[in-house]
């Protein structure tokens, strides 16, 4: 299994505010769809509720402490370990949020797919610091703002170093 983290973050590591994305970048949404379609996505309950439904053409796994939580079209589990265990036979598994799930997954993921938005935003959800002792940048694609994407951004891939 390839376990990866997929996130969009601002320069100050903000990923959201009030359980919502702060920015609208169609290019990032397209990138997300291309990477995850046909794969398994693991997310926390709040992330699932901010999306509002199961993502199509993907196996959706929701992590929540709520014992009787109902998420139509999704598998519901109660820990990251349980989510990883039930998806262990899948080829590509993506952790897609939120902040607490990202923090838990940083120690076990092998790849980070990060959309870096080149601006700071106020927010209440954050992506963990990317430790250069642990992660090596292996790909970067810079994109200037345009009529559809109002902020400069970069698609960046990091691989876990073999220490």
């Amino acid at each position: 299994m390839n376990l990866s983290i997929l996130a969009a973050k601002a320069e100050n590591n903000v990923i959201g505010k009030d359980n919502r994305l702060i920015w609208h970048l169609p290019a990032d949404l397209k990138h997300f769809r291309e990477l995850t379609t046909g794969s398994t996505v693991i997310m926390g309950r709040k992330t699932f509720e901010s999306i509002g439904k199961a993502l199509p053409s993907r196996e959706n796994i929701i992590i929540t402490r709520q014992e009787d939580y109902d998420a139509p079209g999704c598998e519901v589990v109660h820990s990251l370990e349980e989510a990883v265990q039930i998806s262990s036979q899948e080829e590509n598994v993506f952790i897609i949020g939120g902040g607490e799930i990202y923090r838990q997954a940083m120690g076990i993921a092998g790849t980070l797919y990060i959309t870096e938005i080149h601006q700071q935003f106020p927010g209440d959800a954050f992506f963990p610091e990317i430790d250069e002792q642990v992660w090596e940048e292996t790909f970067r694609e810079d994109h200037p703002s345009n009529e559809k994407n109002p902020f400069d951004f970069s698609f960046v891939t990091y691989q876990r170093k073999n220490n």
Side-chain angles (χ1 to χ4, degrees):
M1 166 183 39
N2 298 316
L3 183 63
S4 303
I5 291 175
L6 180 57
K9 69 178 193 72
E11 288 175 347
N12 56 343
N13 287 339
V14 165
I15 58 173
K17 182 173 167 65
D18 300 327
N19 206 33
R20 304 177 70 113
L21 284 176
I22 300 167
W23 47 77
H24 180 69
L25 289 172
D28 181 50
L29 297 174
K30 180 180 180 208
H31 180 67
F32 176 92
R33 191 171 47 254
E34 288 171 352
L35 282 171
T36 62
T37 296
S39 299
T40 297
V41 292
I42 297 172
M43 69 192 95
R45 175 190 54 80
K46 290 179 188 174
T47 298
F48 172 70
E49 289 175 355
S50 75
I51 294 169
K53 62 181 190 300
L55 293 171
S57 305
R58 284 156 274 216
E59 168 112 13
N60 290 252
I61 302 174
I62 313 305
I63 303 170
T64 180
R65 292 184 193 101
Q66 297 178 19
E67 289 299 321
D68 59 349
Y69 190 75
D70 184 38
C74 304
E75 181 94 21
V76 176
V77 298
H78 305 292
S79 70
L80 178 60
E81 294 75 21
E82 189 180 351
V84 169
Q85 183 178 16
I86 67 170
S87 60
S88 64
Q89 301 303 309
E90 301 299 322
E91 184 175 348
N92 293 306
V93 178
F94 293 91
I95 308 287
I96 63 167
E100 179 58 32
I101 304 299
Y102 287 141
R103 272 187 290 288
Q104 292 177 30
M106 286 295 276
I108 60 174
T111 306
L112 307 177
Y113 294 100
I114 306 296
T115 300
E116 295 179 351
I117 293 114
H118 302 295
Q119 187 160 323
Q120 295 194 16
F121 294 88
D124 56 18
F126 298 87
F127 193 82
E129 287 293 329
I130 298 172
D131 184 346
E132 293 178 7
Q133 302 298 314
V134 177
W135 300 98
E136 176 180 14
E137 183 178 316
T138 58
F139 175 82
R140 177 176 291 268
E141 185 179 276
D142 298 324
H143 297 270
S145 62
N146 59 36
E147 63 280 349
K148 290 185 180 178
N149 298 282
F151 308 105
D152 294 345
F153 65 96
S154 300
F155 294 135
V156 185
T157 304
Y158 297 86
Q159 296 293 329
R160 181 177 295 283
K161 292 180 178 179
N162 296 324
N163 293 343

